[in-house]
Amino acid sequence: MYLKVTISKCTGCQECLNSCPYDAIEMRDEKAFINENCQLCNMCLEACPEGAIKEIREEGDSPAEAAKSPDNTYRGVWVFAELREGMPAPVSFELLGAGRRLADKLETDLSSVILGAEKEAADELFKWGADRVYLCSNPALEKFNDEAYTEILSTLINLHKPAIVLAGATAVGRSFIPRVAARVNTGLTADCTSLEIDEETGDLLQIRPAFGGNIMATIVCPDHRPQMATVRPRVMKKGQYAPEKTGEIVQVNPDNIISRTNVVDSVKEVSDIMVNLHEADYIVSGGRGVGGADGFKLLEELAAVLGGAVGASRAAIDENWIPYSHQVGQTGKTVCPRIYIACGISGAVQHLVGMQSSDIIIAINKNPEAPIFNVATYGIVGDLFEVLPLLIRKIKEIKGL
Amino acid sequence: MAFKIVVLIKQVPDTAEVRINPETNTLIRDGVPSIVNPYDLNALEAALRIKEGAGGTVTVLSMGPPQAEDALREAISMGADEGILLTDRAFAGSDTWATGYTLSKAINKIGADIIICGKQAIDGDTAQVGPETAEFMGIPHIAYVRKIEEIRDGYIRVQRLMDEGYDIVESSIPVLLTVVKEINEPRLPSLKGKVAAKKAEIIKMGMSDIGAEESSLGLKGSPTRVKKIFAPAVRADRKLFEGSPKDQVEALVEELKKNKCI
Ligand SMILES: Cc1cc2nc3c(=O)[nH]c(=O)nc-3n(C[C@H](O)[C@H](O)[C@H](O)COP(=O)(O)OP(=O)(O)OC[C@H]3O[C@@H](n4cnc5c(N)ncnc54)[C@H](O)[C@@H]3O)c2cc1C
Ligand SMILES: Nc1ncnc2c1ncn2[C@@H]1O[C@H](COP(=O)(O)O)[C@@H](O)[C@H]1O
């Protein structure tokens, strides 16, 4: 397949030039021309006001698209549950919440796979929504190991054929899930922020930020099964906890687990601020608009009054106003407090992906056009140096401080 | 012991500068420069240090359009010995599965003891290509390496960054590593390097040179498809306040009280 400009329709307006992330469109004789840099991302198709850019299919193109349709023997939704001190990590419950919704929509069941754990871990997964748990209690698997985990999960997938497999976009998930996808020959979408089912095809719609997060993309995996996706912790909401719920345990006993890599030791390094940001009900976060380390004092005061923690955008970290451990966003922490107060943060999508699922977002920014207002629940347009002292005073009044 | 090291580098648009036109929902990339993926510079630096310590050669490999040659030359100016560009119309539109497949075929062709990648590419941020390449090659990998503690014939021990600390991991060689920013500070190009980069011949390889299966390449070989691209939506329950800062703060506090937030 390739993209071609219909010369007779092209008005030479150059709209498409800007739309191309790869610099693959140039002007030749006042008409757009697509050169060999084209990566077939199709961004230009919609950008052209005349509809002059078309996908051209070649002979032998995609037997996939024409003939192959997904293998319908693949059924059910799976969640890979990773361990944290012998029990499922919290992200597993969030994935079960998302998985339950997808399974109900597809009228199928929800299973979970957990390695190196005991029955209590499986029971917890049932309560958070799993109907079935594939449990491997081999103590050798308590420590994460890429090759062993890949071998077991791939074997289970090939044997039981789930339609969808979800995993956390954690250090563990991001390391071995791609290996599994390569081994079972299917697609994998990283860091999804939302998962839906296509009403027509029943395919999984995997929504994630693209191009550094300036835009969202819906990714599908039309002819390969399972459809695999990772989701970052604290992006999805946990489902309902049903203390009475049980389910079916399927014991898995793989023989001779071999691996060429070996974890010699695991060292914990959890800073206080990490715990604070992850557990705080209130986060007051500052960006370039805070103007300096002094400005952050104001944010700290508000956080203290509310009993919350202080976060920051990367711009503030780059300026050395506050340490990296406070960074929220794609290359920092993902947080989900009850209230997130963004002060002097423009709202680049890299920042947004780290705080978007907060229950309430309050944006304080002097630029009414700032994209942070798109995700805000409440927006105050104004100078944070004026707004914050007023807000601090008001809250102190209410709390009788 | 001399190691044959291959560093995988990707040329990416500097996403920090990409903006979106809210009216047309398209990217504004006027003047957005193409750069070497920042994490891949850390990968290259790690390779150069292994070479300087234990001896060996450093080959940089990139799959991309012809202009990705610039990225390879930049790597040579930093000290890489040779650059190989995988470029072919058949590679266009590859997702991570097809990219991993293609890179693995090329690495098998050139041979390598250690393959080093960046943690992720800033245009896609998937962090998948490294582990997938290792899987296609049938060799182990260690992701998120923040320190190489020991390396000798057939053996490597590293620190791997985890969510709440780090692991010490050992592996046999051949192995593929993906590295995080903390591992080192990439050097700047030297004058000698710049001269070498100018003179260097970049080796080009296409589909037939690496013995790849055409049906596994490019868009055709990619299990995933981009179905739709759109601008992030506005929150439905949003309230924007108006008036003086004082009025707005009062309105906000009222709302918060109403929702029992304070
Ligand atoms: C691969 C990659 C990963 C990234 N990861 C992250 C990440 O994890 N986290 C992150 O935050 N960023 C990340 N970024 C950077 C991101 O793209 C933005 O550059 C960054 O978030 C901008 O920070 P900012 O909003 O503080 O600064 P700016 O965009 O400069 O915005 C400052 C805002 O402050 C407002 N302002 C100024 N003065 C005042 C005042 N007195 N009162 C009120 N408002 C005021 C301005 O109107 C403006 O909107 C990443 C980028 C890339 C390419
Ligand atoms: N087209 C490519 N050519 C060479 N290396 C690549 C390519 N794509 C990805 N990589 C390598 O894989 C790493 C992870 O990329 P990604 O999975 O796209 O986030 C990058 O840091 C590179 O080292």
Side-chain angles (χ1 to χ4, degrees):
Chain A
M1 192 182 89
Y2 62 98
L3 301 185
K4 192 168 185 289
V5 180
T6 312
I7 298 288
S8 57
K9 283 192 179 170
C10 176
T11 59
C13 73
Q14 308 198 2
E15 279 290 329
C16 54
L17 263 61
N18 264 339
S19 75
C20 177
Y22 298 100
D23 247 347
I25 312 181
E26 54 192 87
M27 297 305 288
R28 288 196 185 167
D29 301 329
E30 287 167 37
K31 304 277 182 186
F33 174 83
I34 299 176
N35 66 29
E36 71 277 11
N37 289 341
C38 175
Q39 297 293 305
L40 302 172
C41 76
N42 288 2
M43 293 287 278
C44 53
L45 261 54
E46 281 178 37
C48 176
E50 311 300 324
I53 307 180
K54 291 236 142 46
E55 289 178 85
I56 311 282
R57 292 178 190 277
E58 289 162 297
E59 203 174 318
D61 234 10
S62 273
E65 272 161 50
K68 237 197 298 174
S69 58
D71 182 346
N72 282 325
T73 58
Y74 282 78
R75 282 176 179 282
V77 178
W78 279 20
V79 166
F80 175 80
E82 72 181 74
L83 286 187
R84 190 113 328 153
E85 271 136 40
M87 291 303 276
V91 64
S92 318
F93 308 137
E94 296 157 16
L95 292 170
L96 285 172
R100 188 72 261 170
R101 221 175 15 89
L102 299 174
D104 291 347
K105 191 107 185 218
L106 291 168
E107 295 174 0
T108 179
D109 50 18
L110 176 65
S111 304
S112 187
V113 179
I114 189 159
L115 309 180
E118 298 297 329
K119 186 175 166 296
E120 305 83 78
D123 289 341
E124 217 35 37
L125 296 169
F126 293 136
K127 291 173 189 165
W128 285 106
D131 301 313
R132 184 184 306 105
V133 172
Y134 296 92
L135 173 69
C136 178
S137 301
N138 191 327
L141 297 168
E142 274 167 29
K143 270 195 237 162
F144 166 60
N145 183 296
D146 284 286
E147 289 195 275
Y149 275 44
T150 303
E151 173 63 31
I152 298 169
L153 185 57
S154 308
T155 306
L156 285 173
I157 289 172
N158 286 333
L159 202 64
H160 300 286
K161 299 184 187 296
I164 294 173
V165 178
L166 309 177
T170 56
V172 167
R174 287 188 128 203
S175 183
F176 93 103
I177 294 291
R179 275 198 98 106
V180 174
R183 189 163 308 176
V184 304
N185 268 328
T186 194
L188 169 62
T189 308
D191 286 351
C192 296
T193 52
S194 159
L195 297 166
E196 305 291 335
I197 298 291
D198 188 322
E199 300 282 346
E200 274 167 42
T201 60
D203 283 346
L204 179 65
L205 302 175
Q206 308 163 77
I207 298 155
R208 76 182 301 267
F211 295 112
N214 293 284
I215 199 163
M216 305 300 287
T218 305
I219 314 283
V220 289
C221 180
D223 342 287
H224 292 70
R225 289 293 179 270
Q227 306 160 87
M228 296 182 62
T230 65
V231 179
R232 303 185 72 182
R234 285 170 291 277
V235 165
M236 305 266 168
K237 297 268 179 233
K238 287 179 187 166
Q240 284 291 331
Y241 185 75
E244 305 301 319
K245 193 173 162 304
T246 58
E248 176 199 356
I249 291 187
V250 182
Q251 293 281 353
V252 182
N253 300 304
D255 34 35
N256 64 344
I257 304 165
I258 39 165
S259 176
R260 291 162 287 186
T261 56
N262 174 39
V263 178
V264 186
D265 198 8
S266 293
V267 182
K268 278 231 159 358
E269 274 182 342
V270 187
S271 64
D272 290 348
I273 177 65
M274 186 150 149
V275 176
N276 289 346
L277 278 175
H278 284 164
E279 289 175 1
D281 275 340
Y282 302 89
I283 293 177
V284 185
S285 222
R288 202 190 310 277
V290 174
D294 274 352
F296 268 93
K297 298 222 173 85
L298 209 51
L299 274 68
E300 276 157 23
E301 192 181 344
L302 178 58
V305 174
L306 289 167
V310 176
S313 76
R314 190 162 91 176
I317 276 106
D318 287 346
E319 300 277 2
N320 279 325
W321 297 339
I322 185 164
Y324 168 73
S325 54
H326 292 260
Q327 184 178 319
V328 171
Q330 186 171 310
T331 42
K333 298 191 169 61
T334 308
V335 297
C336 186
R338 276 180 70 205
I339 301 190
Y340 187 91
I341 308 179
C343 312
I345 293 178
S346 62
V349 187
Q350 290 96 335
H351 187 81
L352 302 186
V353 295
M355 41 66 80
Q356 224 159 7
S357 40
S358 308
D359 293 344
I360 290 178
I361 296 169
I362 300 171
I364 304 171
N365 195 303
K366 64 181 181 189
N367 174 7
E369 305 287 325
I372 190 75
F373 288 119
N374 291 338
V375 301
T377 326
Y378 302 117
I380 293 187
V381 179
D383 187 331
L384 67 94
F385 294 101
E386 256 180 87
V387 174
L388 287 181
L390 288 166
L391 187 58
I392 292 167
R393 184 155 6 117
K394 199 82 200 169
I395 294 174
K396 274 186 172 165
E397 242 173 66
I398 292 170
K399 294 202 164 189
L401 294 170
Chain B
M1 179 68 212
F3 294 104
K4 175 143 194 189
I5 311 164
V6 173
V7 180
L8 301 182
I9 67 171
K10 186 177 188 188
Q11 190 180 49
V12 294
D14 189 348
T15 48
E17 300 195 23
V18 178
R19 288 283 171 270
I20 197 96
N21 177 339
E23 269 148 43
T24 58
N25 260 348
T26 50
L27 295 170
I28 304 171
R29 66 176 318 268
D30 262 350
V32 174
S34 284
I35 55 170
V36 178
N37 180 39
Y39 299 105
D40 300 354
L41 295 178
N42 297 103
L44 176 59
E45 179 64 36
L48 293 171
R49 290 188 192 181
I50 295 174
K51 175 187 160 179
E52 284 155 5
T57 56
V58 176
T59 301
V60 279
L61 175 67
S62 186
M63 178 181 105
Q67 65 183 25
E69 196 177 318
D70 297 343
L72 293 167
R73 286 193 195 280
E74 187 176 333
I76 292 173
S77 74
M78 285 172 63
D81 298 296
E82 63 169 353
I84 301 178
L85 179 62
L86 284 171
T87 189
D88 196 315
R89 280 288 295 262
F91 300 154
S94 296
D95 70 359
T96 61
W97 190 96
T99 304
Y101 170 80
T102 311
L103 290 169
S104 73
K105 283 284 176 191
I107 301 166
N108 284 339
K109 197 89 195 169
I110 33 188
D113 302 312
I114 303 168
I115 299 117
I116 312 183
C117 304
K119 157 181 110 146
Q120 63 196 49
I122 61 166
D123 58 346
D125 284 319
T126 75
Q128 286 170 194
V129 167
E132 288 190 294
T133 304
E135 175 62 28
F136 282 118
M137 295 182 63
I139 63 169
H141 80 272
I142 310 173
Y144 305 122
V145 173
R146 70 165 203 189
K147 188 175 181 191
I148 298 178
E149 289 190 342
E150 190 186 341
I151 180 163
R152 55 181 152 83
D153 202 358
Y155 176 88
I156 186 166
R157 190 179 66 245
V158 304
Q159 290 184 5
R160 165 175 73 192
L161 193 66
M162 299 296 285
D163 295 324
E164 294 173 355
Y166 65 94
D167 284 351
I168 296 174
V169 188
E170 50 186 14
S171 172
S172 58
I173 289 176
V175 67
L176 182 146
L177 310 177
T178 81
V179 303
V180 296
K181 202 169 68 194
E182 292 82 350
I183 192 170
N184 55 39
E185 188 64 46
R187 68 193 64 188
L188 294 170
S190 67
L191 203 60
K192 196 170 131 237
K194 281 187 186 159
V195 175
K198 233 184 230 133
K199 282 200 297 211
E201 170 122 33
I202 302 294
I203 304 158
K204 298 213 173 67
M205 290 186 175
M207 178 173 76
S208 52
D209 300 309
I210 57 171
E213 204 65 60
E214 185 170 5
S215 60
S216 297
L217 296 176
L219 192 68
K220 224 181 282 184
S222 297
T224 60
R225 291 276 182 285
V226 177
K227 192 182 164 85
K228 198 174 102 188
I229 286 186
F230 58 99
V234 173
R235 201 154 162 149
D237 55 355
R238 168 176 82 159
K239 266 205 182 99
L240 297 183
F241 303 115
E242 283 169 9
S244 70
K246 192 156 172 290
D247 293 345
Q248 294 192 63
V249 167
E250 266 163 22
L252 171 67
V253 170
E254 280 314 305
E255 283 289 334
L256 293 179
K257 272 206 278 194
K258 210 167 70 193
N259 292 318
K260 306 207 170 15
C261 293
I262 43 175

